[in-house]
Amino acid sequence: MELTPLGTKRALFIMAAEPEYGPHLRARFTPLITGIGPVEAALHTGIALARLEAAGTLPDLIVCLGSAGSRRCALGSIHQIASVSWRDMDASPLGIEPGVVPYLDEPKDLPLECPLDLPSVTLSSGGDVVSGDHWDRVSADMVDMETYAIARAARTFGIPLIGLRGVSDGPGELAGAHDWHKLLGYLDGELAKTVDLLAAHYA
C-alpha cells in the first residue's frame, strides 16, 4: 500500500482482491488489498487509516474500485457510486428501517463523491454473492461486498471517498468463480482509463 499522486491530490486506492488488479491498473497505482467481504474491508481499511493518521500522512481522498454485479447496468460498463447501503443490516424487529444501523447517526444510504462525467448509480454492499433469485431482494443498481465498510472507515477519518465499479456479472446464475473472472481483464483496462480521468480532473 502506498499513496498515489492524483493530480494535486494524494490518493489511497483500495481494492478487494488480486484478480481485479490487472496490468493496466498495476501501471498506475499500488492499492491496499483488503480481502473479500465487509469484515475484511473494514478491518484492513481501518488499520491502514489509523497507521497513516499516526504518521501524519492521511490521504486527501480514497478511491475504492473493482468489479460489481448488476442486473440493471450493462456487462462491462463502468460507473461511479453515488451512494452505498448495507443490505445485511436489518434491525426491523426493533422498529428500525432495514439498512439503518441502530444507535449510529448515519443515513441508510451513505453519499460518495462523484467528480466525473460518468453514470452514477446506487450500490448495495453485503456479505453474500448475489445471484439468481437473490436479486429480488436488492433495490440498488449494483452490488458488491466491501464499499459500505470502506465508506464508514473513510467517514470516520473525514476523508472523501470515490467509488468506481465495473459490471462483471449479474444476468443469470453464477456458475462459479470463472464466471466472475471472465470480464476482469476487460474491466482492468476500462477502470484504468477512469483513473486517468480522475488524474486529469484533479490536475
Side-chain angles (χ1 to χ4, degrees):
M1 176 196 69
E2 61 185 43
L3 299 187
T4 302
L6 200 61
T8 60
K9 304 291 186 180
R10 295 173 306 142
L12 173 62
F13 285 86
I14 299 180
M15 303 185 74
E18 289 283 347
E20 298 176 308
Y21 185 43
H24 296 286
L25 293 177
R26 287 176 187 273
R28 287 161 171 80
F29 59 80
T30 301
L32 168 67
I33 301 286
T34 64
I36 292 176
V39 173
E40 296 304 303
L43 173 67
H44 294 290
T45 301
I47 289 172
L49 293 179
R51 288 174 174 170
L52 289 169
E53 183 181 52
T57 57
L58 279 174
D60 300 310
L61 58 90
I62 296 171
V63 182
C64 172
L65 71 168
S67 63
S70 180
R71 278 192 168 176
R72 299 180 187 174
C73 307
L75 286 171
S77 59
I78 304 296
H79 303 265
Q80 60 187 344
I81 307 306
S83 65
V84 62
S85 57
W86 186 7
R87 64 179 176 272
D88 297 334
M89 174 51 64
D90 187 357
S92 54
L94 303 179
I96 298 170
E97 181 185 2
V100 174
V101 181
Y103 309 115
L104 181 68
D105 187 21
E106 291 282 12
K108 175 181 176 180
D109 299 289
L110 302 181
L112 275 62
E113 303 288 316
C114 290
L116 298 178
D117 185 19
L118 287 176
S120 297
V121 299
T122 56
L123 179 67
S124 168
S125 293
D128 59 326
V129 174
V130 179
S131 180
D133 293 342
H134 288 192
W135 280 106
D136 297 337
R137 304 196 299 267
V138 176
S139 59
D141 298 315
M142 303 174 75
V143 297
D144 81 340
M145 301 176 77
E146 297 83 24
T147 300
Y148 183 91
I150 294 168
R152 283 289 295 118
R155 288 167 75 84
T156 298
F157 286 85
I159 304 169
L161 174 64
I162 296 169
L164 301 172
R165 293 281 162 177
V167 181
S168 59
D169 58 89
E173 292 273 5
L174 279 170
H178 64 278
D179 274 0
W180 171 52
H181 282 219
K182 283 179 182 177
L183 283 178
L184 294 187
Y186 174 77
L187 293 177
D188 172 55
E190 295 302 296
L191 286 168
K193 294 175 186 176
T194 308
V195 170
D196 292 343
L197 292 177
L198 275 179
H201 175 79
Y202 288 111

